[in-house]
Amino acid sequence: MPVCRPSYVQHPIAVLAPSGVTPAETVRFVVVLGVEDGRIALRYEQDKTRNQDYIAIARDAVVEIELQGEQLYFSKDADGVTTKDALGVFYGGLEYDGYDEKLDRYRIARFTARYNRGGKYDTTHGFNINADFLQGYCPEGGPKWIAITIDPDIKNPPPKLTHY
């Protein structure tokens, strides 16, 4: 699961949702940062799946990404979700939820995903989740942050499975 500082061109997700999309479902993707067995662990997976570290788009959908853990929030300096390629025809309508007033950051981002009809199975679209990593909070000095980027993929359409 790559995590890095943003070092490449990031394309914002369009302000407007792709035209003609009527989302049939909500796909939830959870990113968890915490301690497991005495080690720092970053995990992510699509809700109701096991060991699936990508977002599978099987039909027009709203994608909801939720950050869990005491130190992980969407970036205030960059769009919370960006693409590695200009894919505006497939994704758009980015909005935020789960606001933490004290830290002035959000925990949830949503956007609309248009299903890639006619695309071959297991088509990968690179995405960035741009996050702020909370380093500490001093009441007089405020919070201290480090910017990180988490790089899951969106498979649109996902790998062909017989039981999907």
Side-chain angles (χ1 to χ4, degrees):
M1 290 184 224
V3 176
C4 63
R5 291 196 177 262
S7 60
Y8 38 75
V9 175
Q10 296 176 329
H11 299 275
I13 290 182
V15 175
L16 299 176
S19 61
V21 174
T22 51
E25 66 178 328
T26 297
V27 174
R28 290 183 175 79
F29 192 72
V30 179
V31 178
V32 181
L33 178 70
V35 177
E36 295 176 3
D37 298 324
R39 296 176 178 225
I40 296 172
L42 175 72
R43 291 185 293 104
Y44 47 80
E45 64 185 16
Q46 187 167 320
D47 194 26
K48 301 178 184 167
T49 65
R50 288 183 183 227
N51 302 319
Q52 180 179 303
D53 61 354
Y54 59 87
I55 302 169
I57 304 297
R59 59 193 57 82
D60 290 350
V62 170
V63 175
E64 180 176 280
I65 298 173
E66 180 179 354
L67 304 180
Q68 295 180 356
E70 294 180 12
Q71 294 178 270
L72 205 56
Y73 296 85
F74 283 106
S75 173
K76 192 168 184 181
D77 295 327
D79 281 348
V81 181
T82 54
T83 70
K84 293 182 185 177
D85 302 299
L87 299 169
V89 68
F90 292 111
Y91 311 105
L94 184 63
E95 60 181 40
Y96 298 93
D97 202 351
Y99 182 67
D100 184 316
E101 192 170 327
K102 179 179 174 185
L103 297 173
D104 191 27
R105 298 291 191 284
Y106 291 90
R107 293 276 196 167
I108 298 170
R110 290 184 197 92
F111 60 92
T112 302
R114 167 190 265 165
Y115 178 65
N116 185 5
R117 288 173 182 77
K120 66 180 184 178
Y121 285 98
D122 207 17
T123 301
T124 299
H125 296 176
F127 270 71
N128 306 313
I129 298 173
N130 303 309
D132 288 335
F133 181 61
L134 181 62
Q135 293 297 285
Y137 187 85
C138 301
E140 57 279 344
K144 294 181 182 176
W145 304 95
I146 292 178
I148 63 171
T149 296
I150 302 163
D151 298 322
D153 288 325
I154 288 189
K155 296 195 185 287
N156 183 1
K160 190 170 188 174
L161 302 174
T162 56
H163 61 279
Y164 194 80

